[in-house]
Amino acid sequence: MATQMIIRVEPSLKTKVSQLAKAKGKNLSELVRELLEKYTKERDMSAYIDSLWDRIGQNFSKNNISEADIEEAIKQVRSKNA
């Protein structure tokens, strides 16, 4: 079940946001929920990292790169930097 959140904003900002929400066919609460979801999603580092690992894994699979290939590449880089 949803919970309430009380925020304080200037009346002029509330009016502007309400008008924008109405123009999109939404109410103020719907628009604020969407904005908060977008804000947290964009800043959720763990989700970004998970997505990055998924893309890396897909790229490896697509290019037939094995775990042994990765280990060998790491050894080569480490030997150059030693």
Side-chain angles (χ1 to χ4, degrees):
M1 175 173 228
T3 184
Q4 287 185 334
M5 181 169 83
I6 298 172
I7 60 169
R8 299 189 191 287
V9 296
E10 294 298 320
S12 60
L13 177 60
K14 182 181 178 190
T15 300
K16 288 177 188 176
V17 174
S18 293
Q19 290 171 347
L20 292 170
K22 188 175 181 181
K24 290 190 162 263
K26 302 172 191 249
N27 64 39
L28 182 58
S29 291
E30 289 171 321
L31 182 62
V32 171
R33 275 193 298 273
E34 286 178 7
L35 292 171
L36 289 171
E37 287 172 6
K38 181 179 178 189
Y39 181 87
T40 55
K41 188 175 184 179
E42 288 174 352
R43 285 156 182 80
D44 183 1
M45 201 59 149
S46 64
Y48 176 78
I49 291 170
D50 289 344
S51 173
L52 179 60
W53 280 118
D54 288 342
R55 291 192 314 259
I56 290 170
Q58 291 168 4
N59 193 4
F60 286 169
S61 293
K62 182 176 143 185
N63 293 302
N64 296 319
I65 297 172
S66 69
E67 187 175 334
D69 295 329
I70 295 167
E71 289 175 8
E72 183 58 33
I74 291 170
K75 286 179 188 176
Q76 288 176 5
V77 169
R78 287 181 176 165
S79 68
K80 290 179 185 176
N81 293 331

